[in-house]
Amino acid sequence: MPIEATPGGPSSDSYCTLVEADAYHSARGHNAEWAAASVEERERVLKWATRVLDTHYRYLGTRASAEQALAWPRRGVVFDGARVSSTAIPSQLRWAVAEFAFRLLQEDWTAGLGPVVDEGVQVGPLKTSKETHVAIPAEVAALVSPLVVPRLAGLGSFQVVRG
């Protein structure tokens, strides 16, 4: 099924259209795998990337409408000193979806716990091992980070809303 990317739409399933994702990857370069994928495959991973980001992050602001299918658009979000329109999807989020979709073509980050990063330390013959499972690629997390509620270590997270 084709992507439905209408901001605030009741049946929207992606923040990024196929045209937007193709333009992102054309500008990005090193994307032969994206260009070689079928339209159906690219649309599938764009939808999946959107769903994973929506379930993984708690975004700033509040949903713009009770009828919208996705978490965006939102009200009460300020980004780079400007208020984000409650009828728009920020470019950063569309780029994050396009980037994550490309990663999902290469490797399923959502199968299990994602790739493992060994953050162990070795001193002489002794080695400690601290494995961290990465659910979202660092480049994607960096794009989304200005749009999400920060998590405070040990305190959970909270959001201040002005009336």
Side-chain angles (χ1 to χ4, degrees), residues 61-95:
T62 58
R63 295 168 64 96
S65 161
E67 292 81 32
Q68 67 191 54
L70 301 174
W72 282 86
R74 300 187 71 79
R75 291 188 181 154
V77 178
V78 175
F79 176 68
D80 275 348
R83 185 169 293 280
V84 176
S85 169
S86 63
T87 60
I89 308 300
S91 297
Q92 249 75 8
L93 185 55
R94 292 193 311 266
W95 299 336

PDB file of all heavy atoms in Angstrom, residues 61-95:
ATOM      1  N   GLY A  61       5.643  18.848  23.522  1.00  0.00           N
ATOM      2  CA  GLY A  61       4.317  19.348  23.160  1.00  0.00           C
ATOM      3  C   GLY A  61       3.233  18.296  23.326  1.00  0.00           C
ATOM      4  O   GLY A  61       3.420  17.266  23.968  1.00  0.00           O
ATOM      5  N   THR A  62       2.089  18.586  22.712  1.00  0.00           N
ATOM      6  CA  THR A  62       0.940  17.673  22.752  1.00  0.00           C
ATOM      7  C   THR A  62       0.425  17.450  21.340  1.00  0.00           C
ATOM      8  O   THR A  62       0.642  18.282  20.455  1.00  0.00           O
ATOM      9  CB  THR A  62      -0.199  18.257  23.611  1.00  0.00           C
ATOM     10  OG1 THR A  62      -0.577  19.532  23.064  1.00  0.00           O
ATOM     11  CG2 THR A  62       0.215  18.427  25.058  1.00  0.00           C
ATOM     12  N   ARG A  63      -0.245  16.337  21.154  1.00  0.00           N
ATOM     13  CA  ARG A  63      -0.809  16.030  19.829  1.00  0.00           C
ATOM     14  C   ARG A  63      -1.717  17.174  19.374  1.00  0.00           C
ATOM     15  O   ARG A  63      -2.464  17.727  20.168  1.00  0.00           O
ATOM     16  CB  ARG A  63      -1.589  14.725  19.879  1.00  0.00           C
ATOM     17  CG  ARG A  63      -0.713  13.515  20.165  1.00  0.00           C
ATOM     18  CD  ARG A  63      -1.538  12.286  20.501  1.00  0.00           C
ATOM     19  NE  ARG A  63      -2.370  11.838  19.423  1.00  0.00           N
ATOM     20  CZ  ARG A  63      -2.038  10.866  18.560  1.00  0.00           C
ATOM     21  NH1 ARG A  63      -0.902  10.248  18.694  1.00  0.00           N
ATOM     22  NH2 ARG A  63      -2.851  10.519  17.594  1.00  0.00           N
ATOM     23  N   ALA A  64      -1.653  17.505  18.105  1.00  0.00           N
ATOM     24  CA  ALA A  64      -2.447  18.611  17.574  1.00  0.00           C
ATOM     25  C   ALA A  64      -3.923  18.249  17.469  1.00  0.00           C
ATOM     26  O   ALA A  64      -4.789  19.121  17.535  1.00  0.00           O
ATOM     27  CB  ALA A  64      -1.915  19.035  16.202  1.00  0.00           C
ATOM     28  N   SER A  65      -4.220  16.957  17.321  1.00  0.00           N
ATOM     29  CA  SER A  65      -5.605  16.525  17.140  1.00  0.00           C
ATOM     30  C   SER A  65      -5.788  15.116  17.699  1.00  0.00           C
ATOM     31  O   SER A  65      -4.897  14.274  17.575  1.00  0.00           O
ATOM     32  CB  SER A  65      -5.948  16.538  15.648  1.00  0.00           C
ATOM     33  OG  SER A  65      -7.080  15.754  15.368  1.00  0.00           O
ATOM     34  N   ALA A  66      -6.943  14.867  18.260  1.00  0.00           N
ATOM     35  CA  ALA A  66      -7.232  13.525  18.776  1.00  0.00           C
ATOM     36  C   ALA A  66      -7.423  12.522  17.649  1.00  0.00           C
ATOM     37  O   ALA A  66      -7.269  11.324  17.843  1.00  0.00           O
ATOM     38  CB  ALA A  66      -8.483  13.571  19.652  1.00  0.00           C
ATOM     39  N   GLU A  67      -7.731  12.995  16.456  1.00  0.00           N
ATOM     40  CA  GLU A  67      -8.002  12.107  15.327  1.00  0.00           C
ATOM     41  C   GLU A  67      -6.756  11.671  14.562  1.00  0.00           C
ATOM     42  O   GLU A  67      -6.816  10.761  13.751  1.00  0.00           O
ATOM     43  CB  GLU A  67      -8.966  12.792  14.330  1.00  0.00           C
ATOM     44  CG  GLU A  67     -10.370  12.999  14.874  1.00  0.00           C
ATOM     45  CD  GLU A  67     -10.467  14.228  15.778  1.00  0.00           C
ATOM     46  OE1 GLU A  67      -9.729  15.205  15.542  1.00  0.00           O
ATOM     47  OE2 GLU A  67     -11.263  14.188  16.723  1.00  0.00           O
ATOM     48  N   GLN A  68      -5.629  12.313  14.796  1.00  0.00           N
ATOM     49  CA  GLN A  68      -4.442  11.993  14.015  1.00  0.00           C
ATOM     50  C   GLN A  68      -3.910  10.604  14.376  1.00  0.00           C
ATOM     51  O   GLN A  68      -3.942  10.191  15.533  1.00  0.00           O
ATOM     52  CB  GLN A  68      -3.363  13.059  14.177  1.00  0.00           C
ATOM     53  CG  GLN A  68      -2.759  13.139  15.560  1.00  0.00           C
ATOM     54  CD  GLN A  68      -1.903  14.379  15.734  1.00  0.00           C
ATOM     55  OE1 GLN A  68      -2.367  15.498  15.498  1.00  0.00           O
ATOM     56  NE2 GLN A  68      -0.663  14.179  16.144  1.00  0.00           N
ATOM     57  N   ALA A  69      -3.400   9.897  13.373  1.00  0.00           N
ATOM     58  CA  ALA A  69      -2.912   8.532  13.567  1.00  0.00           C
ATOM     59  C   ALA A  69      -1.527   8.490  14.205  1.00  0.00           C
ATOM     60  O   ALA A  69      -1.213   7.554  14.938  1.00  0.00           O
ATOM     61  CB  ALA A  69      -2.884   7.798  12.229  1.00  0.00           C
ATOM     62  N   LEU A  70      -0.698   9.476  13.937  1.00  0.00           N
ATOM     63  CA  LEU A  70       0.687   9.494  14.418  1.00  0.00           C
ATOM     64  C   LEU A  70       0.863  10.549  15.517  1.00  0.00           C
ATOM     65  O   LEU A  70      -0.021  11.378  15.742  1.00  0.00           O
ATOM     66  CB  LEU A  70       1.634   9.777  13.251  1.00  0.00           C
ATOM     67  CG  LEU A  70       1.568   8.782  12.091  1.00  0.00           C
ATOM     68  CD1 LEU A  70       2.446   9.245  10.933  1.00  0.00           C
ATOM     69  CD2 LEU A  70       1.974   7.388  12.555  1.00  0.00           C
ATOM     70  N   ALA A  71       2.007  10.530  16.159  1.00  0.00           N
ATOM     71  CA  ALA A  71       2.278  11.473  17.253  1.00  0.00           C
ATOM     72  C   ALA A  71       2.437  12.916  16.775  1.00  0.00           C
ATOM     73  O   ALA A  71       2.198  13.856  17.518  1.00  0.00           O
ATOM     74  CB  ALA A  71       3.529  11.042  18.013  1.00  0.00           C
ATOM     75  N   TRP A  72       2.877  13.118  15.545  1.00  0.00           N
ATOM     76  CA  TRP A  72       3.013  14.461  14.965  1.00  0.00           C
ATOM     77  C   TRP A  72       1.933  14.672  13.943  1.00  0.00           C
ATOM     78  O   TRP A  72       1.509  13.713  13.313  1.00  0.00           O
ATOM     79  CB  TRP A  72       4.389  14.623  14.297  1.00  0.00           C
ATOM     80  CG  TRP A  72       5.481  14.852  15.285  1.00  0.00           C
ATOM     81  CD1 TRP A  72       6.187  13.891  15.942  1.00  0.00           C
ATOM     82  CD2 TRP A  72       5.995  16.102  15.732  1.00  0.00           C
ATOM     83  NE1 TRP A  72       7.102  14.478  16.776  1.00  0.00           N
ATOM     84  CE2 TRP A  72       7.012  15.828  16.664  1.00  0.00           C
ATOM     85  CE3 TRP A  72       5.690  17.438  15.439  1.00  0.00           C
ATOM     86  CZ2 TRP A  72       7.728  16.828  17.305  1.00  0.00           C
ATOM     87  CZ3 TRP A  72       6.405  18.427  16.070  1.00  0.00           C
ATOM     88  CH2 TRP A  72       7.409  18.121  16.998  1.00  0.00           C
ATOM     89  N   PRO A  73       1.491  15.926  13.760  1.00  0.00           N
ATOM     90  CA  PRO A  73       1.993  17.192  14.283  1.00  0.00           C
ATOM     91  C   PRO A  73       1.616  17.385  15.750  1.00  0.00           C
ATOM     92  O   PRO A  73       0.743  16.720  16.281  1.00  0.00           O
ATOM     93  CB  PRO A  73       1.333  18.245  13.389  1.00  0.00           C
ATOM     94  CG  PRO A  73       0.129  17.589  12.827  1.00  0.00           C
ATOM     95  CD  PRO A  73       0.400  16.116  12.792  1.00  0.00           C
ATOM     96  N   ARG A  74       2.324  18.381  16.363  1.00  0.00           N
ATOM     97  CA  ARG A  74       2.151  18.652  17.788  1.00  0.00           C
ATOM     98  C   ARG A  74       1.984  20.148  18.029  1.00  0.00           C
ATOM     99  O   ARG A  74       2.395  20.959  17.214  1.00  0.00           O
ATOM    100  CB  ARG A  74       3.345  18.113  18.567  1.00  0.00           C
ATOM    101  CG  ARG A  74       3.454  16.597  18.346  1.00  0.00           C
ATOM    102  CD  ARG A  74       4.467  15.926  19.163  1.00  0.00           C
ATOM    103  NE  ARG A  74       4.197  15.811  20.576  1.00  0.00           N
ATOM    104  CZ  ARG A  74       3.393  14.920  21.145  1.00  0.00           C
ATOM    105  NH1 ARG A  74       2.704  14.079  20.401  1.00  0.00           N
ATOM    106  NH2 ARG A  74       3.268  14.868  22.456  1.00  0.00           N
ATOM    107  N   ARG A  75       1.407  20.456  19.154  1.00  0.00           N
ATOM    108  CA  ARG A  75       1.244  21.847  19.591  1.00  0.00           C
ATOM    109  C   ARG A  75       2.251  22.140  20.686  1.00  0.00           C
ATOM    110  O   ARG A  75       2.620  21.253  21.446  1.00  0.00           O
ATOM    111  CB  ARG A  75      -0.154  22.074  20.148  1.00  0.00           C
ATOM    112  CG  ARG A  75      -1.204  21.998  19.102  1.00  0.00           C
ATOM    113  CD  ARG A  75      -2.536  22.422  19.653  1.00  0.00           C
ATOM    114  NE  ARG A  75      -3.473  22.289  18.538  1.00  0.00           N
ATOM    115  CZ  ARG A  75      -4.737  22.079  18.643  1.00  0.00           C
ATOM    116  NH1 ARG A  75      -5.291  21.999  19.828  1.00  0.00           N
ATOM    117  NH2 ARG A  75      -5.490  21.961  17.591  1.00  0.00           N
ATOM    118  N   GLY A  76       2.667  23.397  20.767  1.00  0.00           N
ATOM    119  CA  GLY A  76       3.516  23.836  21.859  1.00  0.00           C
ATOM    120  C   GLY A  76       4.973  23.439  21.729  1.00  0.00           C
ATOM    121  O   GLY A  76       5.667  23.327  22.726  1.00  0.00           O
ATOM    122  N   VAL A  77       5.450  23.236  20.512  1.00  0.00           N
ATOM    123  CA  VAL A  77       6.850  22.851  20.308  1.00  0.00           C
ATOM    124  C   VAL A  77       7.615  24.034  19.740  1.00  0.00           C
ATOM    125  O   VAL A  77       7.198  24.648  18.752  1.00  0.00           O
ATOM    126  CB  VAL A  77       6.982  21.640  19.359  1.00  0.00           C
ATOM    127  CG1 VAL A  77       8.444  21.294  19.122  1.00  0.00           C
ATOM    128  CG2 VAL A  77       6.232  20.446  19.916  1.00  0.00           C
ATOM    129  N   VAL A  78       8.733  24.363  20.377  1.00  0.00           N
ATOM    130  CA  VAL A  78       9.629  25.407  19.888  1.00  0.00           C
ATOM    131  C   VAL A  78      10.929  24.727  19.507  1.00  0.00           C
ATOM    132  O   VAL A  78      11.496  23.960  20.278  1.00  0.00           O
ATOM    133  CB  VAL A  78       9.874  26.485  20.970  1.00  0.00           C
ATOM    134  CG1 VAL A  78      10.891  27.506  20.497  1.00  0.00           C
ATOM    135  CG2 VAL A  78       8.560  27.156  21.357  1.00  0.00           C
ATOM    136  N   PHE A  79      11.383  25.001  18.291  1.00  0.00           N
ATOM    137  CA  PHE A  79      12.614  24.396  17.778  1.00  0.00           C
ATOM    138  C   PHE A  79      13.439  25.489  17.119  1.00  0.00           C
ATOM    139  O   PHE A  79      12.925  26.242  16.300  1.00  0.00           O
ATOM    140  CB  PHE A  79      12.274  23.283  16.783  1.00  0.00           C
ATOM    141  CG  PHE A  79      13.466  22.664  16.125  1.00  0.00           C
ATOM    142  CD1 PHE A  79      14.355  21.897  16.849  1.00  0.00           C
ATOM    143  CD2 PHE A  79      13.703  22.862  14.781  1.00  0.00           C
ATOM    144  CE1 PHE A  79      15.457  21.322  16.246  1.00  0.00           C
ATOM    145  CE2 PHE A  79      14.798  22.293  14.165  1.00  0.00           C
ATOM    146  CZ  PHE A  79      15.678  21.523  14.906  1.00  0.00           C
ATOM    147  N   ASP A  80      14.694  25.595  17.485  1.00  0.00           N
ATOM    148  CA  ASP A  80      15.585  26.641  16.967  1.00  0.00           C
ATOM    149  C   ASP A  80      14.998  28.039  17.148  1.00  0.00           C
ATOM    150  O   ASP A  80      15.078  28.891  16.272  1.00  0.00           O
ATOM    151  CB  ASP A  80      15.908  26.401  15.489  1.00  0.00           C
ATOM    152  CG  ASP A  80      17.066  25.441  15.283  1.00  0.00           C
ATOM    153  OD1 ASP A  80      17.770  25.129  16.269  1.00  0.00           O
ATOM    154  OD2 ASP A  80      17.278  25.013  14.137  1.00  0.00           O
ATOM    155  N   GLY A  81      14.358  28.255  18.283  1.00  0.00           N
ATOM    156  CA  GLY A  81      13.828  29.570  18.620  1.00  0.00           C
ATOM    157  C   GLY A  81      12.525  29.935  17.938  1.00  0.00           C
ATOM    158  O   GLY A  81      12.018  31.035  18.120  1.00  0.00           O
ATOM    159  N   ALA A  82      11.967  29.021  17.155  1.00  0.00           N
ATOM    160  CA  ALA A  82      10.705  29.310  16.460  1.00  0.00           C
ATOM    161  C   ALA A  82       9.674  28.250  16.824  1.00  0.00           C
ATOM    162  O   ALA A  82      10.010  27.081  17.016  1.00  0.00           O
ATOM    163  CB  ALA A  82      10.915  29.319  14.955  1.00  0.00           C
ATOM    164  N   ARG A  83       8.444  28.673  16.911  1.00  0.00           N
ATOM    165  CA  ARG A  83       7.355  27.735  17.204  1.00  0.00           C
ATOM    166  C   ARG A  83       7.100  26.879  15.965  1.00  0.00           C
ATOM    167  O   ARG A  83       6.997  27.369  14.856  1.00  0.00           O
ATOM    168  CB  ARG A  83       6.084  28.504  17.571  1.00  0.00           C
ATOM    169  CG  ARG A  83       4.948  27.584  18.001  1.00  0.00           C
ATOM    170  CD  ARG A  83       3.794  28.342  18.600  1.00  0.00           C
ATOM    171  NE  ARG A  83       4.108  28.986  19.865  1.00  0.00           N
ATOM    172  CZ  ARG A  83       4.143  28.372  21.049  1.00  0.00           C
ATOM    173  NH1 ARG A  83       3.894  27.095  21.123  1.00  0.00           N
ATOM    174  NH2 ARG A  83       4.431  29.040  22.145  1.00  0.00           N
ATOM    175  N   VAL A  84       7.004  25.563  16.179  1.00  0.00           N
ATOM    176  CA  VAL A  84       6.714  24.630  15.088  1.00  0.00           C
ATOM    177  C   VAL A  84       5.214  24.659  14.841  1.00  0.00           C
ATOM    178  O   VAL A  84       4.418  24.562  15.780  1.00  0.00           O
ATOM    179  CB  VAL A  84       7.168  23.200  15.454  1.00  0.00           C
ATOM    180  CG1 VAL A  84       6.787  22.211  14.363  1.00  0.00           C
ATOM    181  CG2 VAL A  84       8.670  23.162  15.717  1.00  0.00           C
ATOM    182  N   SER A  85       4.824  24.798  13.592  1.00  0.00           N
ATOM    183  CA  SER A  85       3.412  24.826  13.232  1.00  0.00           C
ATOM    184  C   SER A  85       2.725  23.540  13.673  1.00  0.00           C
ATOM    185  O   SER A  85       3.268  22.447  13.531  1.00  0.00           O
ATOM    186  CB  SER A  85       3.255  24.980  11.717  1.00  0.00           C
ATOM    187  OG  SER A  85       1.911  24.759  11.338  1.00  0.00           O
ATOM    188  N   SER A  86       1.513  23.678  14.195  1.00  0.00           N
ATOM    189  CA  SER A  86       0.757  22.508  14.641  1.00  0.00           C
ATOM    190  C   SER A  86       0.132  21.751  13.479  1.00  0.00           C
ATOM    191  O   SER A  86      -0.645  20.824  13.675  1.00  0.00           O
ATOM    192  CB  SER A  86      -0.322  22.912  15.647  1.00  0.00           C
ATOM    193  OG  SER A  86      -1.248  23.771  15.028  1.00  0.00           O
ATOM    194  N   THR A  87       0.490  22.141  12.258  1.00  0.00           N
ATOM    195  CA  THR A  87       0.006  21.423  11.068  1.00  0.00           C
ATOM    196  C   THR A  87       1.168  20.874  10.243  1.00  0.00           C
ATOM    197  O   THR A  87       0.963  20.431   9.120  1.00  0.00           O
ATOM    198  CB  THR A  87      -0.851  22.353  10.174  1.00  0.00           C
ATOM    199  OG1 THR A  87      -0.043  23.459   9.755  1.00  0.00           O
ATOM    200  CG2 THR A  87      -2.081  22.850  10.916  1.00  0.00           C
ATOM    201  N   ALA A  88       2.381  20.906  10.810  1.00  0.00           N
ATOM    202  CA  ALA A  88       3.562  20.511  10.039  1.00  0.00           C
ATOM    203  C   ALA A  88       4.367  19.430  10.752  1.00  0.00           C
ATOM    204  O   ALA A  88       4.284  19.271  11.961  1.00  0.00           O
ATOM    205  CB  ALA A  88       4.449  21.729   9.800  1.00  0.00           C
ATOM    206  N   ILE A  89       5.164  18.734   9.964  1.00  0.00           N
ATOM    207  CA  ILE A  89       6.124  17.752  10.469  1.00  0.00           C
ATOM    208  C   ILE A  89       7.506  18.391  10.308  1.00  0.00           C
ATOM    209  O   ILE A  89       7.880  18.765   9.198  1.00  0.00           O
ATOM    210  CB  ILE A  89       6.066  16.440   9.659  1.00  0.00           C
ATOM    211  CG1 ILE A  89       4.642  15.886   9.563  1.00  0.00           C
ATOM    212  CG2 ILE A  89       7.044  15.411  10.236  1.00  0.00           C
ATOM    213  CD1 ILE A  89       3.986  15.567  10.870  1.00  0.00           C
ATOM    214  N   PRO A  90       8.278  18.532  11.381  1.00  0.00           N
ATOM    215  CA  PRO A  90       9.604  19.155  11.266  1.00  0.00           C
ATOM    216  C   PRO A  90      10.511  18.386  10.299  1.00  0.00           C
ATOM    217  O   PRO A  90      10.460  17.152  10.235  1.00  0.00           O
ATOM    218  CB  PRO A  90      10.164  19.084  12.689  1.00  0.00           C
ATOM    219  CG  PRO A  90       8.978  18.899  13.571  1.00  0.00           C
ATOM    220  CD  PRO A  90       7.966  18.160  12.765  1.00  0.00           C
ATOM    221  N   SER A  91      11.316  19.123   9.569  1.00  0.00           N
ATOM    222  CA  SER A  91      12.253  18.499   8.621  1.00  0.00           C
ATOM    223  C   SER A  91      13.132  17.478   9.315  1.00  0.00           C
ATOM    224  O   SER A  91      13.412  16.411   8.769  1.00  0.00           O
ATOM    225  CB  SER A  91      13.133  19.558   7.960  1.00  0.00           C
ATOM    226  OG  SER A  91      12.357  20.441   7.205  1.00  0.00           O
ATOM    227  N   GLN A  92      13.591  17.789  10.532  1.00  0.00           N
ATOM    228  CA  GLN A  92      14.462  16.882  11.278  1.00  0.00           C
ATOM    229  C   GLN A  92      13.821  15.512  11.447  1.00  0.00           C
ATOM    230  O   GLN A  92      14.489  14.498  11.361  1.00  0.00           O
ATOM    231  CB  GLN A  92      14.750  17.454  12.677  1.00  0.00           C
ATOM    232  CG  GLN A  92      16.145  17.897  12.893  1.00  0.00           C
ATOM    233  CD  GLN A  92      16.433  19.205  12.189  1.00  0.00           C
ATOM    234  OE1 GLN A  92      15.552  19.859  11.666  1.00  0.00           O
ATOM    235  NE2 GLN A  92      17.676  19.570  12.168  1.00  0.00           N
ATOM    236  N   LEU A  93      12.526  15.487  11.711  1.00  0.00           N
ATOM    237  CA  LEU A  93      11.828  14.221  11.897  1.00  0.00           C
ATOM    238  C   LEU A  93      11.689  13.478  10.571  1.00  0.00           C
ATOM    239  O   LEU A  93      11.865  12.258  10.515  1.00  0.00           O
ATOM    240  CB  LEU A  93      10.464  14.457  12.542  1.00  0.00           C
ATOM    241  CG  LEU A  93       9.661  13.214  12.918  1.00  0.00           C
ATOM    242  CD1 LEU A  93      10.461  12.279  13.818  1.00  0.00           C
ATOM    243  CD2 LEU A  93       8.358  13.618  13.595  1.00  0.00           C
ATOM    244  N   ARG A  94      11.396  14.189   9.498  1.00  0.00           N
ATOM    245  CA  ARG A  94      11.319  13.544   8.180  1.00  0.00           C
ATOM    246  C   ARG A  94      12.674  12.965   7.784  1.00  0.00           C
ATOM    247  O   ARG A  94      12.765  11.848   7.271  1.00  0.00           O
ATOM    248  CB  ARG A  94      10.811  14.534   7.135  1.00  0.00           C
ATOM    249  CG  ARG A  94       9.349  14.923   7.352  1.00  0.00           C
ATOM    250  CD  ARG A  94       8.738  15.637   6.160  1.00  0.00           C
ATOM    251  NE  ARG A  94       9.533  16.725   5.639  1.00  0.00           N
ATOM    252  CZ  ARG A  94       9.411  18.000   5.974  1.00  0.00           C
ATOM    253  NH1 ARG A  94       8.521  18.368   6.864  1.00  0.00           N
ATOM    254  NH2 ARG A  94      10.164  18.917   5.428  1.00  0.00           N
ATOM    255  N   TRP A  95      13.761  13.710   8.043  1.00  0.00           N
ATOM    256  CA  TRP A  95      15.107  13.214   7.742  1.00  0.00           C
ATOM    257  C   TRP A  95      15.442  11.995   8.593  1.00  0.00           C
ATOM    258  O   TRP A  95      16.062  11.045   8.116  1.00  0.00           O
ATOM    259  CB  TRP A  95      16.153  14.301   7.968  1.00  0.00           C
ATOM    260  CG  TRP A  95      15.986  15.518   7.129  1.00  0.00           C
ATOM    261  CD1 TRP A  95      15.343  15.626   5.926  1.00  0.00           C
ATOM    262  CD2 TRP A  95      16.468  16.829   7.428  1.00  0.00           C
ATOM    263  NE1 TRP A  95      15.389  16.922   5.467  1.00  0.00           N
ATOM    264  CE2 TRP A  95      16.079  17.681   6.367  1.00  0.00           C
ATOM    265  CE3 TRP A  95      17.177  17.366   8.501  1.00  0.00           C
ATOM    266  CZ2 TRP A  95      16.398  19.033   6.343  1.00  0.00           C
ATOM    267  CZ3 TRP A  95      17.489  18.719   8.473  1.00  0.00           C
ATOM    268  CH2 TRP A  95      17.101  19.539   7.401  1.00  0.00           C
TER     269      TRP A  95
END
